[in-house]
Amino acid sequence: MKIIIAGAGEVGFHLAKLLSYESQEITLLDPNKVSLAYADTHLDIRVIRGDATSIAILKEARVNTCDLFIAVTSSETTNITICVLAKQLGAKKTIARISNTEFIHHKEEVGFTKFGIDELISPEALAASEIELSLKQSSFNENYEFENGALTMSGLTLSRSASFVGKTVKEAAEIFPELHFVPIAIQRFGTQYTIIPRGDTKFKRGDNVVFITSEGGGDELCRLTGRTNKALKNVMILGGSQIGFKTARDLSEKGFNVKLLEGNRDRAFEIAEVLTKVLVINSDGRNVDLLEEENIRDMDAFIAVGGNSETNIMSCLVAKSKGIKKTIALVENMDYFELSHSIGIDTLVNKKLLAANNIFRYIRRGEVVAMTKLNNLNAELLEFEVKGTSAVCNKSIKSIDFPRSAIIGGVIRDGIGMIALGDFKIQEGDRVVVCCLLQSIKRVEKLFL
């Protein structure tokens, strides 16, 4: 697939990096010589220096033969303009990064597709949604919802209190006669290997396990693992960035008691004027005495979304030492994901990864309607819509020639999520959630063409 990316900033570079690993034909456009030089020497891609709003530059990039055009510069106005131009010049599909989430909410009403923009993404809005979901599923360190929660991906680390440690997947399933969850990926403690579990796979203490749950499955998992999915009410947010603002706004509208710490005085007053239900404090949050004065020990969750990853991590560690139940840190460095559980932070959020996940479903073959990469695991979760021509249509799961390095986690039919076992027959219109290791993605895609 030929892909052109406009913008070599943090999101654009990360996208180009991930897509280059997939052997896609990537062209990166940016007027910044330094950003392009780094990408040119570190990635196997083509780079073109210049303003992507220039028709000459777009023609030099051969936009007329482009399968996917992605505009992720720091300016949403520029991104919208570039996508409109790219579409008119022959790009098959366009995606624009925006910051004003009103555009997403009113996408159909405004009719962005008429202008030539097929999809809008906001990394900041995606991060805010990820944080909200993490608070909703407070017992788990990784979450993702399919079809508004019809099926949910939940990740956790098994402690010695988990009742199925030492048992096989099949033995664990027998504890509950009605199965509402299924393990889809396991990473053994101290290793970097991902296992796609089968019936005879044994759970071990320290395993990082990813489950797919249908309605009620999350509560069952909590009981089995000795966890409590506590309702969180009092939340403290460090950082008044776009993500901090969106998170504070959304949580306060849903009844949370929110305190927001912002070091910049003007920004703090600006937020306070808009978010009347949020207590805004002009402080950078690194002052431990001030945190004590603001009753940090009474908080249920601490969310650090400032501009510095290290400060976010350290602030969360301070909050954890004060007995906070749930800590969430925004980080830019992907390497920190490997350290999150060992250093004691519950959830890490990376907006580059979230944006990449949202865009990657356009790269995959078949009718992919949702996709997420599993943190720390070389596996992807894909939601396919089954067509009448798909190889899996009208077949039971056990009769499908499915690779050993992939597993069906569940099926959504008529908006209802189900944990699908071997005898389950897949029908046209079903949405099937599949977890697969990277080497088996192409084989799985062919089954859903």
Side-chain angles (χ1 to χ4, degrees):
M1 182 180 278
K2 181 172 180 181
I3 303 167
I4 299 175
I5 302 172
E10 56 182 23
V11 175
F13 177 82
H14 184 67
L15 266 174
K17 179 181 175 182
L18 291 179
L19 291 169
S20 67
Y21 292 160
E22 302 252 331
S23 301
Q24 307 288 351
E25 186 183 341
I26 310 298
T27 301
L28 184 63
L29 311 178
D30 199 280
N32 188 302
K33 183 179 179 180
V34 176
S35 299
L36 279 185
Y38 186 81
D40 193 25
T41 54
H42 287 76
L43 304 177
D44 183 20
I45 63 173
R46 179 188 180 209
V47 301
I48 297 176
R49 185 185 175 194
D51 185 352
T53 58
S54 163
I55 294 175
I57 291 293
L58 292 175
K59 286 185 175 180
E60 183 184 345
R62 298 193 292 274
V63 70
N64 61 311
T65 63
C66 162
D67 297 301
L68 180 63
F69 191 98
I70 307 167
V72 286
T73 74
S74 57
S75 166
E76 70 179 358
T77 306
T78 302
N79 293 336
I80 290 171
T81 303
I82 295 170
C83 282
V84 171
L85 290 173
K87 193 74 169 187
Q88 295 301 315
L89 291 171
K92 290 178 183 171
K93 188 176 285 290
T94 61
I95 301 174
R97 173 188 178 178
I98 51 99
S99 54
N100 184 352
T101 52
E102 276 190 333
F103 290 157
I104 296 175
H105 296 150
H106 300 283
K107 184 170 65 173
E108 302 303 326
E109 183 182 346
V110 174
F112 280 95
T113 52
K114 296 175 186 175
F115 306 147
I117 303 169
D118 296 301
E119 191 61 63
L120 299 168
I121 63 162
S122 167
E124 294 77 18
L126 291 170
S129 298
E130 177 94 347
I131 291 167
E132 189 176 338
L133 180 58
S134 294
L135 295 181
K136 181 180 171 184
Q137 300 286 343
S138 61
S139 294
F140 305 110
N141 49 41
E142 190 176 354
N143 300 279
Y144 187 85
E145 285 188 341
F146 294 92
E147 304 300 312
N148 297 315
L151 290 174
T152 302
M153 180 270 285
S154 301
L156 52 81
T157 303
L158 298 184
S159 63
R160 67 176 67 184
S161 61
S163 61
F164 50 79
V165 166
K167 293 182 172 63
T168 64
V169 171
K170 186 176 180 181
E171 290 168 343
E174 291 169 354
I175 296 175
F176 280 96
E178 292 187 17
L179 193 66
H180 294 115
F181 64 90
V182 64
I184 57 169
I186 298 175
Q187 184 185 58
R188 297 291 188 207
F189 178 74
T191 74
Q192 295 298 315
Y193 301 109
T194 303
I195 300 169
I196 299 296
R198 300 296 169 185
D200 58 354
T201 304
K202 187 173 285 189
F203 292 107
K204 296 181 180 180
R205 179 187 170 193
D207 281 352
N208 181 24
V209 187
V210 179
F211 295 88
I212 288 290
T213 66
S214 58
E215 187 177 354
D219 294 333
E220 289 177 2
L221 266 180
C222 285
R223 291 200 294 273
L224 277 170
T225 55
R227 295 166 178 253
T228 306
N229 209 15
K230 296 179 180 177
L232 306 180
K233 191 70 176 174
N234 302 314
V235 178
M236 183 175 284
I237 300 173
L238 169 63
S241 61
Q242 285 191 54
I243 296 173
F245 176 85
K246 286 178 170 61
T247 302
R249 181 194 62 196
D250 295 346
L251 293 179
S252 63
E253 288 175 354
K254 293 185 178 177
F256 285 84
N257 299 322
V258 181
K259 289 184 180 181
L260 188 146
L261 310 179
E262 168 53 45
N264 183 287
R265 187 175 182 275
D266 293 337
R267 177 62 176 163
F269 275 97
E270 182 184 330
I271 294 171
E273 286 179 7
V274 179
L275 304 182
T276 55
K277 295 180 182 178
V278 175
L279 176 59
V280 182
I281 301 160
N282 181 209
S283 168
D284 65 6
R286 288 177 290 185
N287 187 327
V288 178
D289 291 334
L290 183 135
L291 293 176
E292 291 280 10
E293 288 176 16
E294 295 302 329
N295 303 316
I296 189 171
R297 294 179 189 274
D298 296 333
M299 296 293 115
D300 298 314
F302 184 88
I303 303 166
V305 288
N308 184 280
S309 299
E310 290 74 18
T311 300
N312 292 339
I313 289 172
M314 292 306 297
S315 300
C316 280
L317 292 177
V318 170
K320 206 68 177 177
S321 72
K322 303 299 180 184
I324 302 295
K325 302 183 189 78
K326 183 79 173 180
T327 54
I328 302 172
L330 178 73
V331 296
E332 296 302 324
N333 191 331
M334 297 294 294
D335 295 334
Y336 288 147
F337 274 99
E338 297 178 14
L339 304 173
S340 60
H341 307 312
S342 60
I343 61 178
I345 296 174
D346 296 309
T347 302
L348 294 182
V349 175
N350 182 290
K351 63 183 182 182
K352 294 181 292 190
L353 183 61
L354 293 171
N357 286 347
N358 204 265
I359 290 170
F360 253 76
R361 62 192 174 102
Y362 297 99
I363 313 300
R364 297 285 173 241
R365 297 169 68 207
E367 293 293 322
V368 179
V369 290
M371 191 223 121
T372 185
K373 285 180 178 286
L374 300 180
N375 295 343
N376 278 343
L377 304 177
N378 60 330
E380 289 185 8
L381 261 180
L382 297 155
E383 181 187 355
F384 292 96
E385 184 170 353
V386 179
K387 298 185 291 187
T389 56
S390 301
V392 299
C393 190
N394 297 320
K395 287 187 179 180
S396 61
I397 290 175
K398 64 184 179 185
S399 68
I400 300 169
D401 183 22
F402 226 66
R404 293 282 296 175
S405 52
I407 187 173
I408 291 178
V411 176
I412 301 170
R413 180 176 292 169
D414 299 326
I416 299 172
M418 297 169 279
I419 301 302
L421 302 180
D423 293 325
F424 187 93
K425 191 173 183 179
I426 295 174
Q427 299 176 3
E428 183 178 357
D430 284 351
R431 297 198 168 193
V432 181
V433 175
V434 180
C435 178
C436 50
L437 300 186
L438 301 185
Q439 66 263 29
S440 62
I441 288 175
K442 284 186 168 59
R443 192 171 158 194
V444 170
E445 287 174 338
K446 289 179 181 177
L447 294 170
F448 291 91
L449 289 175

